[in-house]
Amino acid sequence: MSDIDLTDLAGRHDGSHTLHGYLARPTGDGPWPGVVMVHEAFGMDDVMRRQADRLAASGFLTLAPDLFSAGGARRCLVSTMRAMRSGKGRAYGDIEAARQWLSASAECTGKIGVIGFCMGGGFALMVADSGFDAAAPNYGILPSDLDGAMEGACPVVASYGGKDFSLKKAAAKLDVALTKAGVVHDVREYPTAGHGFLNDEQAGPKAVRPLLKVAGMVPDPDAAADAWTRIDGFFREHLR
């Protein structure tokens, strides 16, 4: 596992002035399919690094750009969330920089997917038509123009929690839009799960974790295990 300086590539794609990424390599000899991993709104913390490591353990060369490289979550969160919703902004250049790095790497087969969690799930939906071979948005906010965003999208495997009241009916709406667009997809809502259920421990600042727990933003190991099985299988099929 290593840190990658993506600043030059980000500059070529109107991304952040400073951009770092966390690279997780599978064991053994490559090349491997690549995955760009987009982190939660809490940033590129240890929980997210372990998600990248988990993807690498499943055989995917995983690069997670830190969208808050230029100033941390306090300075970057609002503008990054605004970019995710509007479809334009430096974060998209950052994601493209990570994709381009993987594409140019001798360790990558050239097949590249994108996965995101929470805020990152929203970005994964927004860039599903931008050169990726598969996308895995997890509890991602739906684009305002959902039908338009899904036109020309790559295959999508998406996971939502039935107890995530901030994204009520999002799974059903996404399933309808992908069907309408003729996109190969696997969308599932887990009745027992809330927001952030794929994490291996509760994320977020310690001071607000009790409130997040009350809101149902806690791990759900059973739902997570099934979701990861679906994601791994979907990526293996579409990134081979």
PDB file of all heavy atoms in Angstrom, residues 8 24 43 53 67 89 91 93 97 103 106 109 149 159 167 173-174 179 199 219 233-234:
ATOM      1  N   ASP A   8      -0.092  16.455 -10.715  1.00  0.00           N
ATOM      2  CA  ASP A   8       0.124  16.809 -12.123  1.00  0.00           C
ATOM      3  C   ASP A   8      -1.056  16.367 -12.985  1.00  0.00           C
ATOM      4  O   ASP A   8      -1.540  17.129 -13.836  1.00  0.00           O
ATOM      5  CB  ASP A   8       1.415  16.191 -12.642  1.00  0.00           C
ATOM      6  CG  ASP A   8       2.655  16.887 -12.099  1.00  0.00           C
ATOM      7  OD1 ASP A   8       2.508  18.002 -11.562  1.00  0.00           O
ATOM      8  OD2 ASP A   8       3.758  16.317 -12.207  1.00  0.00           O
ATOM      9  N   ALA A  24      -3.810   0.695  -3.259  1.00  0.00           N
ATOM     10  CA  ALA A  24      -3.784  -0.638  -2.645  1.00  0.00           C
ATOM     11  C   ALA A  24      -3.582  -1.669  -3.749  1.00  0.00           C
ATOM     12  O   ALA A  24      -4.392  -1.763  -4.679  1.00  0.00           O
ATOM     13  CB  ALA A  24      -5.079  -0.906  -1.891  1.00  0.00           C
ATOM     14  N   GLY A  43     -14.225  11.745   4.608  1.00  0.00           N
ATOM     15  CA  GLY A  43     -12.872  11.841   4.084  1.00  0.00           C
ATOM     16  C   GLY A  43     -12.161  10.506   3.985  1.00  0.00           C
ATOM     17  O   GLY A  43     -12.725   9.440   4.239  1.00  0.00           O
ATOM     18  N   ASP A  53      -8.144  -1.567   0.817  1.00  0.00           N
ATOM     19  CA  ASP A  53      -7.366  -2.789   1.033  1.00  0.00           C
ATOM     20  C   ASP A  53      -8.211  -4.024   0.747  1.00  0.00           C
ATOM     21  O   ASP A  53      -7.709  -5.018   0.200  1.00  0.00           O
ATOM     22  CB  ASP A  53      -6.863  -2.851   2.479  1.00  0.00           C
ATOM     23  CG  ASP A  53      -5.841  -1.766   2.797  1.00  0.00           C
ATOM     24  OD1 ASP A  53      -5.291  -1.159   1.851  1.00  0.00           O
ATOM     25  OD2 ASP A  53      -5.596  -1.537   3.996  1.00  0.00           O
ATOM     26  N   LEU A  67     -10.218  13.490  -2.122  1.00  0.00           N
ATOM     27  CA  LEU A  67     -10.840  14.695  -2.664  1.00  0.00           C
ATOM     28  C   LEU A  67     -10.693  15.900  -1.745  1.00  0.00           C
ATOM     29  O   LEU A  67     -11.016  17.018  -2.149  1.00  0.00           O
ATOM     30  CB  LEU A  67     -12.324  14.436  -2.944  1.00  0.00           C
ATOM     31  CG  LEU A  67     -12.653  13.279  -3.890  1.00  0.00           C
ATOM     32  CD1 LEU A  67     -14.155  13.242  -4.180  1.00  0.00           C
ATOM     33  CD2 LEU A  67     -11.872  13.359  -5.185  1.00  0.00           C
ATOM     34  N   GLY A  89     -16.953  20.565 -11.356  1.00  0.00           N
ATOM     35  CA  GLY A  89     -16.096  20.988 -10.259  1.00  0.00           C
ATOM     36  C   GLY A  89     -14.812  20.182 -10.229  1.00  0.00           C
ATOM     37  O   GLY A  89     -14.625  19.211 -10.969  1.00  0.00           O
ATOM     38  N   ALA A  91     -13.586  18.058  -8.201  1.00  0.00           N
ATOM     39  CA  ALA A  91     -13.641  16.648  -7.808  1.00  0.00           C
ATOM     40  C   ALA A  91     -13.707  15.733  -9.019  1.00  0.00           C
ATOM     41  O   ALA A  91     -13.141  14.628  -9.005  1.00  0.00           O
ATOM     42  CB  ALA A  91     -14.835  16.401  -6.896  1.00  0.00           C
ATOM     43  N   GLY A  93     -12.327  16.295 -11.946  1.00  0.00           N
ATOM     44  CA  GLY A  93     -10.961  16.221 -12.462  1.00  0.00           C
ATOM     45  C   GLY A  93     -10.098  15.293 -11.630  1.00  0.00           C
ATOM     46  O   GLY A  93      -9.243  14.578 -12.155  1.00  0.00           O
ATOM     47  N   ALA A  97      -8.307  12.006 -12.901  1.00  0.00           N
ATOM     48  CA  ALA A  97      -6.861  11.854 -12.723  1.00  0.00           C
ATOM     49  C   ALA A  97      -6.533  10.458 -12.205  1.00  0.00           C
ATOM     50  O   ALA A  97      -5.577   9.817 -12.665  1.00  0.00           O
ATOM     51  CB  ALA A  97      -6.333  12.917 -11.757  1.00  0.00           C
ATOM     52  N   SER A 103      -5.084   3.785 -15.850  1.00  0.00           N
ATOM     53  CA  SER A 103      -5.057   3.424 -17.261  1.00  0.00           C
ATOM     54  C   SER A 103      -3.635   3.370 -17.802  1.00  0.00           C
ATOM     55  O   SER A 103      -3.316   2.541 -18.665  1.00  0.00           O
ATOM     56  CB  SER A 103      -5.882   4.433 -18.069  1.00  0.00           C
ATOM     57  OG  SER A 103      -5.888   4.122 -19.434  1.00  0.00           O
ATOM     58  N   ALA A 106       1.323  -0.005 -15.862  1.00  0.00           N
ATOM     59  CA  ALA A 106       1.601  -1.347 -16.383  1.00  0.00           C
ATOM     60  C   ALA A 106       1.005  -2.420 -15.484  1.00  0.00           C
ATOM     61  O   ALA A 106       0.862  -3.572 -15.900  1.00  0.00           O
ATOM     62  CB  ALA A 106       3.115  -1.548 -16.513  1.00  0.00           C
ATOM     63  N   THR A 109      -4.809  -3.808 -16.128  1.00  0.00           N
ATOM     64  CA  THR A 109      -5.185  -4.435 -17.397  1.00  0.00           C
ATOM     65  C   THR A 109      -5.793  -3.446 -18.383  1.00  0.00           C
ATOM     66  O   THR A 109      -5.915  -3.744 -19.562  1.00  0.00           O
ATOM     67  CB  THR A 109      -6.214  -5.541 -17.152  1.00  0.00           C
ATOM     68  OG1 THR A 109      -7.410  -4.968 -16.588  1.00  0.00           O
ATOM     69  CG2 THR A 109      -5.667  -6.617 -16.221  1.00  0.00           C
ATOM     70  N   ALA A 149     -28.523  11.082 -16.522  1.00  0.00           N
ATOM     71  CA  ALA A 149     -27.229  10.609 -16.029  1.00  0.00           C
ATOM     72  C   ALA A 149     -27.000   9.140 -16.348  1.00  0.00           C
ATOM     73  O   ALA A 149     -25.857   8.706 -16.524  1.00  0.00           O
ATOM     74  CB  ALA A 149     -27.128  10.836 -14.523  1.00  0.00           C
ATOM     75  N   SER A 159     -25.989  -0.643  -3.953  1.00  0.00           N
ATOM     76  CA  SER A 159     -26.500  -1.163  -2.686  1.00  0.00           C
ATOM     77  C   SER A 159     -26.994  -0.020  -1.804  1.00  0.00           C
ATOM     78  O   SER A 159     -26.305   0.997  -1.647  1.00  0.00           O
ATOM     79  CB  SER A 159     -25.400  -1.941  -1.952  1.00  0.00           C
ATOM     80  OG  SER A 159     -24.957  -3.032  -2.737  1.00  0.00           O
ATOM     81  N   LEU A 167     -32.342   8.389   1.980  1.00  0.00           N
ATOM     82  CA  LEU A 167     -32.365   7.933   0.589  1.00  0.00           C
ATOM     83  C   LEU A 167     -33.558   7.006   0.364  1.00  0.00           C
ATOM     84  O   LEU A 167     -33.449   5.976  -0.294  1.00  0.00           O
ATOM     85  CB  LEU A 167     -31.050   7.225   0.247  1.00  0.00           C
ATOM     86  CG  LEU A 167     -29.808   8.121   0.247  1.00  0.00           C
ATOM     87  CD1 LEU A 167     -28.541   7.301   0.129  1.00  0.00           C
ATOM     88  CD2 LEU A 167     -29.885   9.142  -0.887  1.00  0.00           C
ATOM     89  N   LYS A 173     -35.935   3.816  -7.488  1.00  0.00           N
ATOM     90  CA  LYS A 173     -35.842   4.825  -8.548  1.00  0.00           C
ATOM     91  C   LYS A 173     -34.658   4.555  -9.468  1.00  0.00           C
ATOM     92  O   LYS A 173     -34.766   4.699 -10.693  1.00  0.00           O
ATOM     93  CB  LYS A 173     -35.723   6.216  -7.930  1.00  0.00           C
ATOM     94  CG  LYS A 173     -36.974   6.687  -7.203  1.00  0.00           C
ATOM     95  CD  LYS A 173     -36.745   8.032  -6.535  1.00  0.00           C
ATOM     96  CE  LYS A 173     -37.980   8.491  -5.780  1.00  0.00           C
ATOM     97  NZ  LYS A 173     -37.748   9.774  -5.062  1.00  0.00           N
ATOM     98  N   LEU A 174     -33.534   4.163  -8.870  1.00  0.00           N
ATOM     99  CA  LEU A 174     -32.361   3.871  -9.679  1.00  0.00           C
ATOM    100  C   LEU A 174     -32.592   2.654 -10.555  1.00  0.00           C
ATOM    101  O   LEU A 174     -32.206   2.638 -11.738  1.00  0.00           O
ATOM    102  CB  LEU A 174     -31.147   3.647  -8.771  1.00  0.00           C
ATOM    103  CG  LEU A 174     -29.823   3.310  -9.468  1.00  0.00           C
ATOM    104  CD1 LEU A 174     -29.414   4.403 -10.445  1.00  0.00           C
ATOM    105  CD2 LEU A 174     -28.720   3.081  -8.429  1.00  0.00           C
ATOM    106  N   THR A 179     -33.112   0.419 -15.913  1.00  0.00           N
ATOM    107  CA  THR A 179     -33.894  -0.429 -16.813  1.00  0.00           C
ATOM    108  C   THR A 179     -34.325   0.358 -18.046  1.00  0.00           C
ATOM    109  O   THR A 179     -34.215  -0.122 -19.184  1.00  0.00           O
ATOM    110  CB  THR A 179     -35.129  -0.995 -16.083  1.00  0.00           C
ATOM    111  OG1 THR A 179     -34.696  -1.779 -14.960  1.00  0.00           O
ATOM    112  CG2 THR A 179     -35.962  -1.865 -17.007  1.00  0.00           C
ATOM    113  N   ASN A 199     -19.344  -0.180   6.053  1.00  0.00           N
ATOM    114  CA  ASN A 199     -18.139   0.076   6.831  1.00  0.00           C
ATOM    115  C   ASN A 199     -17.929  -1.016   7.874  1.00  0.00           C
ATOM    116  O   ASN A 199     -18.883  -1.587   8.398  1.00  0.00           O
ATOM    117  CB  ASN A 199     -18.232   1.432   7.523  1.00  0.00           C
ATOM    118  CG  ASN A 199     -18.156   2.588   6.543  1.00  0.00           C
ATOM    119  OD1 ASN A 199     -17.671   2.421   5.423  1.00  0.00           O
ATOM    120  ND2 ASN A 199     -18.633   3.744   6.950  1.00  0.00           N
ATOM    121  N   PRO A 219     -22.509  -0.064  11.033  1.00  0.00           N
ATOM    122  CA  PRO A 219     -22.248  -1.235  10.193  1.00  0.00           C
ATOM    123  C   PRO A 219     -23.365  -2.275  10.312  1.00  0.00           C
ATOM    124  O   PRO A 219     -24.026  -2.381  11.348  1.00  0.00           O
ATOM    125  CB  PRO A 219     -20.933  -1.781  10.755  1.00  0.00           C
ATOM    126  CG  PRO A 219     -20.283  -0.617  11.421  1.00  0.00           C
ATOM    127  CD  PRO A 219     -21.405   0.174  11.999  1.00  0.00           C
ATOM    128  N   GLY A 233     -18.349 -10.058  -7.498  1.00  0.00           N
ATOM    129  CA  GLY A 233     -18.760 -10.847  -8.656  1.00  0.00           C
ATOM    130  C   GLY A 233     -19.055  -9.986  -9.867  1.00  0.00           C
ATOM    131  O   GLY A 233     -18.676 -10.324 -11.007  1.00  0.00           O
ATOM    132  N   PHE A 234     -19.701  -8.847  -9.645  1.00  0.00           N
ATOM    133  CA  PHE A 234     -20.048  -7.938 -10.733  1.00  0.00           C
ATOM    134  C   PHE A 234     -18.782  -7.356 -11.356  1.00  0.00           C
ATOM    135  O   PHE A 234     -18.652  -7.298 -12.583  1.00  0.00           O
ATOM    136  CB  PHE A 234     -20.944  -6.826 -10.183  1.00  0.00           C
ATOM    137  CG  PHE A 234     -21.737  -6.074 -11.221  1.00  0.00           C
ATOM    138  CD1 PHE A 234     -22.969  -6.535 -11.644  1.00  0.00           C
ATOM    139  CD2 PHE A 234     -21.241  -4.888 -11.757  1.00  0.00           C
ATOM    140  CE1 PHE A 234     -23.712  -5.822 -12.578  1.00  0.00           C
ATOM    141  CE2 PHE A 234     -21.967  -4.181 -12.698  1.00  0.00           C
ATOM    142  CZ  PHE A 234     -23.207  -4.652 -13.115  1.00  0.00           C
TER     143      PHE A 234
END
